[in-house]
Amino acid sequence: MEILAFGVQADERPLIEKAFEGHHEVRCVGVFLNEDTAPIAAGYEIISTSVNADLGHRVLQTLAAGGTQLIAQRSTGFNNIDLKVAERLGMTVARVSYYSPYSVAEFAWTLAMAVNRRIVRASNRTRDFDFRLDGLLGRDMRGRTAGVLGTGKIGEAFTRIAHGFGMNLLGWDIAENPACVELGMKYVPKDQLLAESDLITLHVPLIPETQQLIDAAALRAMKDDAILVNSSRGGLIDTAALVAELREGRFTGVGLDVYEAEAGLFFLDKSLEAVEDDTLARLVTFPNVLVTSHQAYYTVDAVGQIIDATVQNVLDYKAGRRSENVLVPRS
């Protein structure tokens, strides 16, 4: 049996091919799954998709009509999949419920420190042999307050690093994480966390209840010199409201690895095209904003774990087994 893997990055391809070796043939394509590319999957019982795939009802109907029965998504998030339609069509859907939380937590800290210490600006200057320090003044993290929205595995990993910096720790979640409490974290209401934190980081899933969790009111509640980091899902932040606050000169720095309208942009080369997204175009012009292309998970360790879990999801499907990774079981 041959499996079709959509949205495979050049670095991923040899890892995916090696992982499936001895189990199934795999065809890797760089294009992302959407309405235009879905017909490619005709005849493939099993496909694997990336986090930016469009798995809405039209794409799912095309896949089902072409004979696809298993969708193995190579990510933890699944807000891009219409699970009810998949179930109605009799399709099995699986994801990767766990991979290295350190990859994302460490990258969130990379963003935080890059905007705090003006690393991008400094690097650009020294390339032009400009070694002035004007505009590069940063702040110590020790003694300041880190606010962690979402204290699951990734939030806990971020908290451990913050603890190592000697920061005060505030947390917000539906349930307290005992490991974070042991590190000295105090759980508080969201509004209090936003008002008191010098560094705010988002580690919650994107579900209807968290859509634009950081809206205009939440942004206004933050300190004027706060640092905001999002390495989770773009839809957690009202980007238009964020741009409005940035135009007022607020925030020491904003580090974004995700963007609420990133589908059709991130993971692609758009450098020779006109930018149609006015909000994103304005966002990247702010000197205190750093935007990266959804790469927080992208380490050898995490990608390896994602691929191994994807292979196991395929093997479990073929053997009729069900694991915690299954979102829609085999009918």
Side-chain angles (χ1 to χ4, degrees):
M1 175 182 291
E2 188 177 38
I3 298 163
L4 178 61
F6 282 95
V8 177
Q9 304 295 316
D11 296 330
E12 291 180 289
R13 181 167 185 158
L15 300 176
I16 290 176
E17 291 175 341
K18 183 177 181 180
F20 274 102
E21 202 171 81
H23 300 296
H24 297 286
E25 294 293 321
V26 59
R27 176 189 173 195
C28 296
V29 295
V31 297
F32 295 94
L33 178 60
N34 54 39
E35 290 186 40
D36 294 329
T37 61
I40 299 174
Y44 287 91
E45 179 183 345
I46 300 172
I47 68 167
S48 176
T49 58
S50 62
V51 67
N52 271 354
D54 174 2
L55 285 158
H57 70 281
R58 290 181 180 176
V59 171
L60 290 172
Q61 288 170 347
T62 300
L63 293 175
T68 298
Q69 297 180 33
L70 171 65
I71 298 169
Q73 176 137 302
R74 303 188 306 279
S75 73
T76 298
F78 53 90
N79 54 284
N80 60 319
I81 308 174
D82 192 327
L83 298 179
K84 291 182 180 179
V85 171
E87 184 176 15
R88 188 170 70 244
L89 293 171
M91 306 176 81
T92 302
V93 180
R95 61 157 179 167
V96 177
S97 59
Y98 174 86
Y99 60 85
S100 170
Y102 310 106
S103 61
V104 179
E106 290 173 5
F107 193 82
W109 266 107
T110 300
L111 289 174
M113 295 307 294
V115 296
N116 176 39
R117 302 307 299 267
R118 316 290 198 265
I119 297 300
V120 174
R121 182 184 298 180
S123 176
N124 289 338
R125 281 187 185 177
T126 56
R127 286 178 180 272
D128 292 330
F129 294 94
D130 179 353
F131 299 103
R132 292 172 300 158
L133 298 182
D134 296 344
L136 302 183
L137 192 65
R139 298 182 296 179
D140 290 359
M141 288 291 104
R142 181 176 179 81
R144 286 188 162 82
T145 299
V148 184
L149 292 160
T151 56
K153 293 182 176 67
I154 297 173
E156 179 187 331
F158 186 96
T159 300
R160 291 188 181 280
I161 299 171
H163 180 262
F165 271 105
M167 300 187 75
N168 303 313
L169 306 171
L170 296 180
W172 177 85
D173 209 327
I174 57 174
E176 295 185 2
N177 183 334
C180 292
V181 173
E182 188 175 341
L183 292 169
M185 174 171 280
K186 178 183 178 183
Y187 280 83
V188 297
K190 185 184 74 171
D191 289 346
Q192 182 180 345
L193 182 149
L194 296 175
E196 297 181 7
S197 297
D198 300 293
L199 167 61
I200 296 166
T201 182
L202 309 180
H203 300 294
V204 297
L206 181 61
I207 55 178
E209 292 76 14
T210 61
Q211 183 75 39
Q212 294 195 346
L213 180 70
I214 304 300
D215 56 12
L219 291 163
R220 286 194 297 269
M222 297 179 191
K223 294 180 178 181
D224 287 342
D225 61 353
I227 293 172
L228 174 63
V229 173
N230 185 12
S231 58
S232 183
R233 288 292 182 267
L236 298 175
I237 296 178
D238 182 341
T239 314
L242 175 60
V243 168
E245 295 299 314
L246 288 165
R247 291 181 65 180
E248 296 296 320
R250 300 191 64 220
F251 306 132
T252 289
V254 175
L256 304 175
D257 186 50
V258 288
Y259 173 61
E260 61 180 333
E262 68 182 55
L265 289 173
F266 282 24
F267 305 144
L268 300 172
D269 181 3
K270 297 289 185 176
S271 61
L272 299 179
E273 301 178 23
V275 178
E276 298 180 356
D277 189 323
D278 292 338
T279 302
L280 179 60
R282 183 68 179 95
L283 187 64
V284 298
T285 65
F286 291 104
N288 57 335
V289 174
L290 175 57
V291 178
T292 53
S293 51
H294 206 141
Q295 68 182 83
Y297 78 98
Y298 208 52
T299 66
V300 171
D301 311 85
V303 171
Q305 291 168 354
I306 289 169
I307 292 171
D308 288 345
T310 301
V311 172
Q312 190 59 52
N313 286 341
V314 171
L315 297 179
D316 286 345
Y317 165 80
K318 295 301 294 181
R321 296 187 295 263
R322 181 176 177 179
S323 72
E324 61 178 353
N325 289 340
V326 176
L327 297 170
V328 179
R330 191 171 189 172
S331 58

